[in-house]
């Protein structure tokens, strides 16, 4: 890109610059040529049960298990959310709960009213929805007061993943 432009180009032969976000959107979601529409939801793996890390001996044991999963599932990738479930989602939920509780405390110190306050979470690139499920399960179990005020929205460019 030129020094006065904030966009990235995707080709040095093209005379018109393409924003990186537009390029990524096209290569991932274009109905005819995009990665997800051409390959379907199967490219993103979904584990049916959490991994038992206690049975793995060091990094070689972990690497073996991951290779085995990729071969068995026939998937292009497994996200960290899938591999480390439910712990990954629980860590996100703990952070979210702590942040919400701190905000509530500060509001109460200032004499604020928190009645009818909803908490909105929007997950972009939600894939299989595993993170959403883990966060919501954690909140329901550990923070039912937060859970009752929570509105969780998931977004994904893949129609197939949204339909899962």
């Amino acid at each position: 890109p030129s020094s006065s432009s904030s966009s990235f180009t995707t080709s040095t032969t093209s005379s018109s610059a393409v924003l990186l976000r537009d390029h990524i959107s096209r290569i991932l979601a274009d109905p005819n040529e995009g990665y997800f529409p051409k390959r379907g939801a199967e490219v993103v793996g979904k584990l049916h049960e959490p991994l038992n890390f206690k049975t793995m001996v060091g990094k070689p044991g972990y690497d073996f298990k991951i290779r085995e999963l990729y071969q068995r599932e026939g998937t292009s990738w497994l996200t960290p959310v899938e591999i480390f479930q439910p712990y990954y989602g629980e860590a996100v939920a703990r952070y979210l709960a702590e942040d919400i509780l701190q905000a509530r405390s500060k509001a109460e110190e200032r004499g604020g009213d928190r009645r009818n306050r909803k908490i909105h979470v929007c997950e972009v690139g939600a894939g299989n929805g595993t993170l959403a499920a883990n966060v919501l399960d954690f909140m329901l179990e550990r923070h039912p007061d937060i859970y009752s005020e929570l509105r969780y929205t998931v977004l994904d460019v893949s129609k197939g993943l949204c339909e899962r």
Side-chain angles (χ1 to χ4, degrees):
S2 69
S3 59
S4 64
S5 172
S6 63
S7 66
F8 293 92
T9 60
T10 57
S11 171
T12 56
T13 60
S14 175
S15 61
S16 63
V18 176
L19 291 174
L20 180 60
R21 68 169 187 239
D22 295 336
H23 174 70
I24 290 171
S25 176
R26 184 180 56 77
I27 64 173
L28 290 180
D30 180 84
N32 299 314
E33 295 297 320
Y35 183 80
F36 288 110
K38 285 176 81 174
R39 289 165 184 83
E42 298 78 35
V43 298
V44 178
K46 179 164 183 62
L47 300 183
H48 303 289
E49 59 187 44
L51 295 177
N52 184 352
F53 289 95
K54 293 178 182 176
T55 63
M56 299 176 207
V57 180
K59 187 170 179 342
Y62 169 80
D63 290 343
F64 175 81
K65 184 64 175 175
I66 295 299
R67 271 193 308 278
E68 180 183 74
L69 284 169
Y70 275 104
Q71 290 169 355
R72 185 182 74 215
E73 300 296 324
T75 185
S76 293
W77 75 75
L78 292 164
T79 66
V81 171
E82 290 293 330
I83 293 170
F84 298 108
Q85 67 170 292
Y87 313 110
Y88 192 102
E90 289 175 358
V92 171
R94 277 188 187 93
Y95 173 81
L96 183 60
E98 184 178 309
D99 193 56
I100 291 166
L101 293 172
Q102 283 180 349
R104 283 181 178 173
S105 177
K106 287 179 183 176
E108 288 171 7
E109 286 173 11
R110 291 189 304 263
D113 182 9
R114 54 174 279 271
R115 286 178 290 159
N116 299 321
R117 296 260 174 114
K118 292 293 180 187
I119 302 159
H120 300 268
V121 174
C122 182
E123 180 184 347
V124 179
N128 295 312
T130 303
L131 179 63
N134 294 158
V135 166
L136 291 170
D137 288 347
F138 179 89
M139 290 298 192
L140 180 60
E141 181 181 318
R142 305 267 178 91
H143 297 281
D145 57 320
I146 293 174
Y147 179 85
S148 68
E149 297 176 2
L150 195 58
R151 179 177 174 206
Y152 200 110
T153 303
V154 296
L155 302 173
D156 204 284
V157 297
S158 169
K159 182 179 178 186
L161 286 172
C162 289
E163 290 172 350
R164 270 192 187 173

